[in-house]
Amino acid sequence: MNKIKYLIPNLFTGLSLVSGLVALNIIFEQKNFVMASWLIAFSMVCDGLDGKIARLLNATSKFGMLFDTLYDFFAFGIVPAYLSFKIYLHELGIFGVLLAIFYVIAGGYRLVRYMIKNKNATEKKSFTGLPIPAAASLVASFILINYALWHHLEYPKFFVAVVLFSAV
């Protein structure tokens, strides 16, 4: 029973990864940007629950912390960058490619910097820069609001600014 308590929060972390994988597939296969944005939001819910459940069950571990960080990089770094690229950045040519790559690298950099500062799995230290789930939420929510109001990306140049701001 003692080992099961460590499995429960990691199931939520894994669910976040699955959500990100499904979002990536939906972007690639169906170009359904709204559903992909909702799946990023679902990954955020899972990401918020995994840490809370781990602390509640007293099941925090270095493994769980690293597991969560790796999956955060995918769900909140790679997936939103690809979503941004497919919805508009591809129209900007090499600048769009570089911006999407910058988003991924900057998010990964912030995660690694946090991991170096936060060596203890039970402590939460301050985060420098925009946390990667928050960056992903800016991208996804901008898309959701645009599609809810106008059924397309109404302000693409502003979207570029949102992606750039989210990256840093």
Side-chain angles (χ1 to χ4, degrees):
M1 178 64 180
N2 199 22
K3 291 188 179 188
I4 291 176
K5 76 177 188 177
Y6 289 95
L7 183 62
I8 295 169
N10 289 326
L11 287 174
F12 281 91
T13 305
L15 193 55
S16 175
L17 172 70
V18 170
S19 179
L21 287 169
V22 172
L24 201 60
N25 185 54
I26 286 174
I27 297 164
F28 185 75
E29 295 284 331
Q30 302 172 11
K31 293 183 178 42
N32 188 339
F33 307 127
V34 172
M35 180 57 73
S37 297
W38 280 116
L39 287 166
I40 290 170
F42 180 72
S43 286
M44 292 178 63
V45 170
C46 293
D47 184 56
L49 288 174
D50 64 3
K52 288 190 184 354
I53 291 171
R55 287 185 289 281
L56 181 70
L57 296 176
N58 196 25
T60 57
S61 67
K62 186 73 169 176
F63 174 83
M65 192 168 88
L66 293 172
F67 193 60
D68 180 64
T69 300
L70 178 64
Y71 287 4
D72 283 357
F73 178 69
F74 180 77
F76 306 126
I78 294 170
V79 174
Y82 187 65
L83 173 61
S84 300
F85 182 76
K86 290 304 278 186
I87 197 169
Y88 179 71
L89 296 181
H90 70 278
E91 294 182 19
L92 302 177
I94 190 68
F95 176 74
V97 171
L98 292 174
L99 182 53
I101 291 170
F102 177 69
Y103 180 93
V104 172
I105 291 171
Y109 178 82
R110 290 191 312 273
L111 281 170
V112 169
R113 185 175 54 202
Y114 177 75
M115 294 303 295
I116 289 170
K117 286 172 59 175
N118 193 18
K119 295 183 190 225
N120 186 348
T122 58
E123 299 179 6
K124 286 185 94 177
K125 295 208 173 158
S126 64
F127 198 92
T128 304
L130 188 64
I132 199 165
S137 74
L138 287 174
V139 171
S141 61
F142 188 87
I143 292 168
L144 289 171
I145 290 168
N146 271 258
Y147 274 75
L149 296 176
W150 300 288
H151 306 292
H152 66 279
L153 194 62
E154 178 67 20
Y155 299 104
K157 290 186 178 25
F158 190 65
F159 179 68
V160 172
V162 167
V163 174
L164 185 59
F165 173 77
S166 299
V168 294

